Amino acid sequence: MELRLNALTKRFRDFTAVNGVSCAMSSGVYGLLGVNGAGKTTLMRMLCTLIPPSEGQITLNGADIFQMGANYRKILGYLPQDFGCYPDFSAEDYLLYVASIKGLSPAAARRRTGELLHSVGLESAHKKKTKTFSGGMKRRLGIAQAMLNDPQILILDEPTSGLDPNERIRFRNLISELAQDRLVLLSTHIVSDVEYIAGEIFLMRGGELLHSGSTQELIAAMPERVWLCTVPREQAAHLEREYKVANVRLAGGGAQLRILSAEPPFPNAEQAEATLEDVFLSYFGQTGGELE
């Protein structure tokens, strides 16, 4: 299976939300990483055939997905960023309702609903109304509805938005389990969502793909290095204005800064090992002076 984007562009009047995006995906977990407003949701909506591109094409094994129509949507699962469910439905009733819309037979719908409620950890809450669910429970229910048709392609838009750290970890583990023999594309602005589960990560800014690769490949290609330096506390604010600073830790009368720079920012700076979070700051961060 190959899902390919060819020079994909989407314009809304004079605004270009997605600009000439080209990439190819097969089975596995892919991360689409960028700040809010980068064009990630627009790209996701085109991949789900909810909006057509202004230019370019999306193909699955060589066939245009918009021409495939229902045949493409049969193998697609989608969790939108703003997932909503009927508050007076129980989790079980909601999934049965969505299954009927997706064309599952009553017997298949009931069997699949039971399997998915167990998979996402909602089996004990299957009769509870969704209006009583926490944010994490609702997102897990969202994953379940996206998986009802056992899709080959699973698209998740900001799936951990608003979740606490424990729910976020649980959600990532669930995604890893669901990624067997299918294509999963996960859009997020939270680095930890994709750092350990995505085989390939796309960096997106201003509607364009800046770079792609594994976590280690992105770190190796980062244009800046990471430096640790300890300075008097009164100098920290000056360095924050001049450089991209990932972290500041105050200790005694000094401050230890984690700085991104092509050259050592201070005579006593020591080079440190970079992380994907540093990559994110390198491509999407700003210095204090830029913010001003």
Side-chain angles (χ1 to χ4, degrees):
M1 177 175 62
E2 183 186 62
L3 186 64
R4 181 174 289 274
L5 284 63
N6 301 302
L8 199 65
T9 297
K10 181 62 181 179
R11 299 188 188 92
F12 297 97
R13 295 187 180 179
D14 296 331
F15 175 68
T16 302
V18 174
N19 187 19
V21 169
S22 296
C23 63
M25 295 171 281
S26 55
S27 297
V29 180
Y30 294 81
L32 183 60
L33 187 60
V35 298
N36 291 330
K40 303 188 302 297
T41 293
T42 300
L43 183 61
M44 294 280 198
R45 289 173 64 81
M46 285 191 284
L47 283 167
C48 294
T49 69
L50 296 174
I51 54 174
S54 303
E55 297 174 11
Q57 188 182 38
I58 307 171
T59 61
L60 177 64
N61 298 331
D64 186 293
I65 65 170
F66 286 89
Q67 294 179 9
M68 290 177 67
N71 289 329
Y72 173 72
R73 287 187 286 273
K74 284 179 182 178
I75 62 170
L76 178 71
Y78 176 47
L79 175 61
Q81 183 176 356
D82 299 316
F83 169 71
C85 46
Y86 296 108
D88 289 321
F89 275 32
S90 69
E92 182 179 59
D93 288 342
Y94 175 73
L95 291 181
L96 290 171
Y97 169 70
V98 175
S100 68
I101 294 176
K102 292 190 174 186
L104 275 70
S105 68
R110 191 159 294 279
R111 182 182 67 254
R112 188 70 176 146
T113 292
E115 293 171 352
L116 288 169
L117 286 170
H118 175 73
S119 295
V120 301
L122 291 176
E123 195 171 27
S124 62
H126 70 288
K127 289 297 185 183
K128 291 184 178 180
K129 292 186 177 181
T130 62
K131 65 183 177 184
T132 67
F133 281 13
S134 66
M137 294 170 74
K138 288 179 180 177
R139 299 308 281 181
R140 282 186 270 146
L141 183 62
I143 278 285
Q145 65 82 26
M147 292 293 298
L148 277 167
N149 57 331
D150 194 20
Q152 296 179 36
I153 300 171
L154 182 59
I155 295 180
L156 310 172
D157 192 3
E158 299 282 358
T160 67
S161 178
L163 301 189
D164 63 39
N166 287 332
E167 283 285 6
R168 186 170 287 122
I169 292 169
R170 180 172 186 167
F171 206 91
R172 288 200 303 266
N173 292 340
L174 176 60
I175 298 306
S176 294
E177 293 172 9
L178 294 176
Q180 301 296 322
D181 303 319
R182 73 181 87 240
L183 189 163
V184 179
L185 177 61
L186 189 160
S187 159
T188 185
H189 64 281
I190 302 170
V191 172
S192 60
D193 282 354
V194 295
E195 186 168 12
Y196 301 109
I197 65 171
E200 185 170 0
I201 299 168
F202 301 105
L203 302 180
M204 190 170 188
R205 183 179 67 192
E208 299 180 352
L209 290 188
L210 301 179
H211 214 318
S212 66
S214 67
T215 295
Q216 292 307 314
E217 288 170 342
L218 291 175
I219 289 173
M222 192 172 71
E224 298 163 305
R225 302 298 96 189
V226 181
W227 306 91
L228 295 178
C229 61
T230 301
V231 299
R233 190 176 295 190
E234 58 270 16
Q235 292 187 12
H238 169 73
L239 290 173
E240 287 185 78
R241 287 193 296 270
E242 294 296 321
Y243 297 98
K244 296 173 183 176
V245 178
N247 189 57
V248 179
R249 186 174 65 188
L250 301 179
Q256 186 183 68
L257 285 75
R258 185 179 180 90
I259 293 175
L260 271 64
S261 173
E263 303 294 335
F266 211 74
N268 70 344
E270 298 179 0
Q271 191 168 344
E273 187 174 344
T275 66
L276 187 61
E277 193 170 75
D278 296 319
V279 173
F280 187 90
L281 179 63
S282 179
Y283 283 99
F284 306 121
Q286 295 173 308
T287 66
E290 289 173 336
L291 289 171
E292 290 171 356

